[in-house]
Amino acid sequence: MNDAAISVSGLRKTYGEVHAVDGLDLEIRRGEVFALLGPNGAGKSTTVEILEGFRKRTAGEVEVLGQDPQRADRRFRERIGVMLQNTSGRSFLTARESLHHAAKLYPRPRDVDETLAAVGLEEKANVKPQLLSGGQRRRLDVALAVIGRPELIFLDEPTTGFDPEARRQFWRLIESLTEGGTTIVLTTHYLDEADYLAHRIGIIARGSLVALDTPAGLRARAKAAHVTWLEGGEAREHATSEPSAFLRDLLARHDGEVERLEVRHPSLEDVYLDLVGLGGVATSESTGAAPADAEEATA
Amino acid sequence: MTATVTSPSWVSLALDRLVVDLKDFTRSREQMIFIFAFPMLLLAMFGAIFGGQTLGDTGVTFSQYLMAGMVASGILNTGFQSLAISIAIDRDEDVLKRIHATPLPATAFFAGKIAQILIVSAVQVAILVAMGVLLYDVQLPSAAQWGTFAWVFALGTAAATTLGIATSSLLRNAKAASAILTPIVLFLQFTSGVFFVFTQLPLWLQNVASVFPLKWLAQGMRSVFLPESFEAQEAAGSWQHGLTAVILVVWAVIGLVVAVRTFRWQRPEDR
């Protein structure tokens, strides 16, 4: 059996003069949790919607679970689960009813009550949908995406608008649901989310992939530490892969305190911002007045 | 993973969609009021204003004439206006996109919708007929007339539903749908022999209305609910059953072709 859940080559999507996706190549393996990152308008939602079979591509080859999603048939839909970017507010069905009816569409669905429990909605199972909070509706959306026991799940910005604690809970939920070889394609704006959940991260900018690596691999790309300090009232900055040696020299040149001395190791976020072409902003931004310790911040 | 899995049958999917649509409908207060209470109110109101007038020397009162017309326009309201607006809202709010992401076949989706429209329309007709019989001395139709009712109702619903689905795709969004469809339906109701007696309209207006299905639907319903003696009062001096069937079928086919060619699961900017 083909090892790739998704393979994309030369993908292009053009709206008039605008190239939303411009020559994208990508391969996602079965069982992999893959995160697609990129600024708004970079083409990540367009790409995901082409993979989901919602949008037609202008050019390129796309295979999802061995099929062309543009000709998505019933069999294809039975094998994928989709969580859209926005939650629908318009339903008169309770969470249990929604899942009950959704389960009937699939050949071998999960158990409705078990799924409700898995997403932590068992107490809200019979509540009117208007009375669910935003986070609870998102959890219902996840439940609906996994009820058919899909081989491949798309999660499009699943935690946008969540508070940090709710996001952590949500990540654990995704983890628990994905044991057993399910492939997951996730888009997100949150680097910590991609870092926590994904095996590999693809960064998309201006319609094509600018990086494809593991979270650790991406972080390792930024070797240089940034040393910043004030000298004669003027901000100074130096990038080096040997900050200790540089500091020894720096301290030797100064008597007493070096004002606002800071050594900062680039975070995943700095790497990301560099890659999408916004790097200048990130590296000049100080993390605060307190001297950074030697530990690497992981954003 | 390659083990053969049996997908749920088409019939069970369509039936389950019907259940979902009926739940949605009965739990949506606006829909219930618009579909069931509004026609009752109109019938009672116009009945109170003009009800006693008899039309010519036929012994038929305006209330009886109106009831037949309300049955016809109810089919149009439910199958055309209300369906088009609700599909447009469902498209705007990504409900359709969500359904499209599931294995539900489009044909099962529409079968469920059409079954729901048929049930809702039948209840609506029953309410109006009950009002007619209890309040306005309408005689229950004979067996032959029920036969006429069956095909007029079926063809009328088919035309209204396919046109409703077609229209939902042609309009930009749900707001545009209700802004454009409400006056269209109102125009048809005023000119097709629902709120006014058709033969009292200027001839040119009669000709305009005769292009559209509601005129034929209303005339067909009059042939079911009014005494046979009224036939001579019709514009053509006849119920024109043959022509009615032809025109409703033509509209249903136009609606079906446009609906199949233009239907979209997603908003225009989302494709």
Side-chain angles (χ1 to χ4, degrees):
Chain A
M1 181 179 279
N2 189 351
D3 183 45
I6 295 175
S7 61
V8 175
S9 69
L11 178 63
R12 229 171 271 281
K13 173 71 181 181
T14 314
Y15 295 100
E17 303 268 288
V18 183
H19 301 286
V21 182
D22 197 5
L24 186 116
D25 300 302
L26 181 63
E27 189 149 305
I28 298 174
R29 291 186 283 266
R30 282 179 195 269
E32 183 174 30
V33 179
F34 187 88
L36 200 54
L37 263 72
N40 284 331
K44 71 180 181 303
S45 286
T46 306
T47 302
V48 168
E49 296 220 327
I50 288 170
L51 299 179
E52 289 165 343
F54 287 137
R55 294 185 196 226
K56 289 194 180 344
R57 61 187 180 270
T58 312
E61 296 299 315
V62 178
E63 252 189 30
V64 177
L65 299 178
Q67 266 185 281
D68 180 349
Q70 208 152 298
R71 284 187 277 278
D73 57 6
R74 194 172 157 193
R75 200 58 83 186
F76 178 76
R77 294 279 172 217
E78 283 170 354
R79 296 167 69 199
I80 71 166
V82 172
M83 179 177 175
L84 297 180
Q85 204 173 97
N86 53 338
T87 297
S88 171
R90 190 170 186 266
S91 171
F92 293 94
L93 303 183
T94 65
R96 172 173 281 122
E97 285 175 316
S98 290
L99 281 172
H100 166 78
H101 290 295
K104 291 194 172 184
L105 302 171
Y106 297 90
R108 33 176 213 110
R110 285 172 192 260
D111 180 77
V112 169
D113 287 306
E114 276 173 32
T115 310
L116 275 169
V119 299
L121 282 178
E122 62 267 70
E123 282 173 21
K124 300 282 178 185
N126 299 316
V127 168
K128 280 186 194 155
Q130 304 97 292
L131 298 178
L132 293 182
S133 72
Q136 286 163 346
R137 282 189 199 185
R138 272 327 241 169
R139 282 191 264 159
L140 175 58
D141 284 342
V142 177
L144 288 167
V146 301
I147 190 77
R149 244 185 258 277
E151 292 165 46
L152 167 63
I153 305 175
F154 292 97
L155 305 170
D156 201 355
E157 297 185 12
T159 64
T160 300
F162 278 32
D163 62 46
E165 198 196 323
R167 271 170 57 212
R168 298 226 159 240
Q169 278 176 9
F170 196 88
W171 296 348
R172 282 192 284 273
L173 167 63
I174 300 297
E175 279 183 314
S176 70
L177 290 172
T178 57
E179 289 154 10
T182 316
T183 311
I184 298 196
V185 178
L186 163 86
T187 73
T188 181
H189 279 300
Y190 301 109
L191 287 131
D192 53 346
E193 186 160 292
D195 194 7
Y196 184 94
L197 288 172
H199 299 128
R200 282 194 308 157
I201 297 176
I203 296 177
I204 188 168
R206 291 169 299 278
S208 57
L209 271 192
V210 292
L212 180 62
D213 213 332
T214 60
L218 278 178
R219 223 180 280 115
R221 289 184 182 211
K223 291 198 185 72
H226 284 260
V227 184
T228 54
W229 70 100
L230 276 184
E231 198 167 305
E234 216 174 284
R236 304 291 293 270
E237 183 178 339
H238 182 78
T240 172
S241 54
E242 295 175 326
S244 306
F246 179 77
L247 277 185
R248 250 178 242 119
D249 286 351
L250 183 72
L251 295 175
R253 284 194 277 118
H254 288 74
D255 294 330
E257 282 298 306
V258 178
E259 269 186 281
R260 308 266 314 254
L261 176 61
E262 219 173 289
V263 181
R264 210 160 68 83
H265 289 261
S267 62
L268 195 55
E269 190 158 8
D270 295 319
V271 176
Y272 166 76
L273 289 170
D274 268 337
L275 283 166
V276 299
L278 301 165
V281 184
T283 39
S284 65
E285 240 174 25
S286 172
T287 46
D293 53 28
E295 275 174 58
E296 188 172 291
T298 49
Chain B
M1 237 193 271
T2 44
T4 47
V5 281
T6 352
S7 301
S9 76
W10 186 92
V11 173
S12 74
L13 292 178
L15 279 176
D16 203 57
R17 270 316 293 178
L18 171 63
V19 173
V20 171
D21 279 335
L22 282 176
K23 278 182 181 170
D24 265 337
F25 176 81
T26 51
R27 291 175 196 185
S28 157
R29 207 166 293 153
E30 309 90 67
Q31 290 251 62
M32 290 282 274
I33 289 172
F34 181 71
I35 301 290
F36 292 144
F38 188 54
M40 290 171 73
L41 192 76
L42 282 178
L43 180 55
M45 188 182 75
F46 279 93
I49 299 172
F50 306 109
Q53 293 174 16
T54 51
L55 308 175
D57 54 359
T58 58
V60 170
T61 66
F62 181 72
S63 289
Q64 294 172 334
Y65 188 94
L66 178 65
M67 192 222 78
M70 291 301 295
V71 167
S73 83
I75 291 169
L76 194 74
N77 276 336
T78 314
F80 177 65
Q81 185 181 10
S82 162
L83 178 65
I85 293 173
S86 79
I87 291 181
I89 293 174
D90 280 350
R91 184 181 296 114
D92 276 7
E93 307 225 342
D94 284 349
V95 175
L96 294 187
K97 189 176 178 180
R98 240 158 251 280
I99 291 169
H100 188 42
T102 71
L104 183 72
T107 49
F109 169 76
F110 285 115
K113 272 258 179 284
I114 290 165
Q116 180 234 330
I117 299 288
L118 283 171
I119 290 172
V120 169
S121 297
V123 172
Q124 189 185 30
V125 169
I127 291 171
L128 289 169
V129 172
M131 278 180 79
V133 169
L134 296 174
L135 302 175
Y136 309 120
D137 276 335
V138 171
Q139 298 295 310
L140 277 178
S142 66
Q145 283 172 317
W146 276 125
T148 306
F149 173 85
W151 71 257
V152 173
F153 178 79
L155 290 183
T157 306
T161 312
T162 53
L163 289 169
I165 296 167
T167 312
S168 80
S169 303
L170 298 177
L171 299 167
R172 216 170 48 256
N173 55 38
K175 271 188 192 157
S178 64
I180 291 171
L181 295 185
T182 307
I184 290 177
V185 169
L186 215 56
F187 170 79
L188 291 178
Q189 286 172 328
F190 277 107
T191 57
S192 302
V194 177
F195 296 148
F196 296 108
V197 178
F198 187 71
T199 46
Q200 291 170 4
L201 297 173
L203 198 60
W204 68 268
L205 205 50
Q206 291 187 23
N207 290 336
V208 171
S210 298
V211 175
F212 299 103
L214 185 56
K215 185 258 173 189
W216 302 95
L217 199 47
Q219 188 169 299
M221 287 303 171
R222 285 198 295 277
S223 78
V224 172
F225 293 104
L226 298 188
E228 274 167 52
S229 60
F230 194 80
E231 183 167 2
Q233 298 296 310
E234 290 293 345
S238 142
W239 297 126
Q240 295 177 290
H241 278 164
L243 191 56
T244 302
V246 168
I247 286 179
L248 291 179
V249 166
V250 166
W251 275 105
V253 169
I254 291 173
L256 185 66
V257 169
V258 176
V260 168
R261 301 189 70 147
T262 62
F263 184 78
R264 294 288 179 272
W265 297 96
Q266 283 149 271
R267 285 173 273 128
E269 69 274 18
D270 194 21
R271 283 168 203 163

